Amino acid sequence: MVIFVTQDPECLFCKIISGAIPVDFVFQSQSVVAFNDINPQAPTHVLIIPTIHVENIADLAQISPEVTAELFTIARGIAAERGLVGYRSILNTGADAGQSVFHAHLHLIGGRSLAWPPG
Ligand code: 5GP
Ligand code: ZN
């Protein structure tokens, strides 16, 4: 199996991982980090991302099912820490789905009642 351990110097989230753009990390491990979204859509809006540069969650699932699963495990942990009654995990994949940063990320959104269906 080929393992991609890459960073893209042009990628916003790679710059956050490297510390070039400072953020307050909510969670940090070798494989995954989490930080607050700059434009929160709810009282909790955390981005949970792999430390390797991969364009989207579908590619991450191919490359590393383990790290993909970690994103969800960490989302559960943060939601539990904060006592969220429910939360939404959002994985925008591709431009038509609203993906604007092409480094895989899970949006953890909660802390208020959320409408369905999404727009
Ligand atoms: P997407 O639209 O790709 O699913 O989500 C990208 C998210 O990254 C957006 O919710 C946006 O607010 C967030 N974002 C964009 N630039 C920054 C930044 O510089 N810092 C942080 N913390 N979040 C950012
Ligand atoms: Zn990146």
Side-chain angles (χ1 to χ4, degrees), residues 18-41:
S18 73
I21 296 176
V23 295
D24 287 331
F25 287 105
V26 172
F27 174 88
Q28 264 182 300
S29 75
Q30 208 173 353
S31 48
V32 176
V33 300
F35 51 90
N36 291 319
D37 196 291
I38 202 168
N39 182 23
Q41 301 302 309

Side-chain angles (χ1 to χ4, degrees), residues 59-96:
D59 288 354
L60 182 65
Q62 288 289 308
I63 292 165
S64 177
E66 296 81 4
V67 175
T68 305
E70 266 185 80
L71 302 183
F72 289 94
T73 304
I74 290 153
R76 182 173 67 176
I78 294 169
E81 264 171 32
R82 297 183 182 198
L84 300 183
V85 174
Y87 62 94
R88 195 165 285 166
S89 305
I90 298 176
L91 299 156
N92 294 328
T93 307
D96 272 3

Side-chain angles (χ1 to χ4, degrees), residues 8 11 13-14 53 103:
D8 175 348
C11 169
F13 286 176
C14 285
H53 178 82
H103 179 129

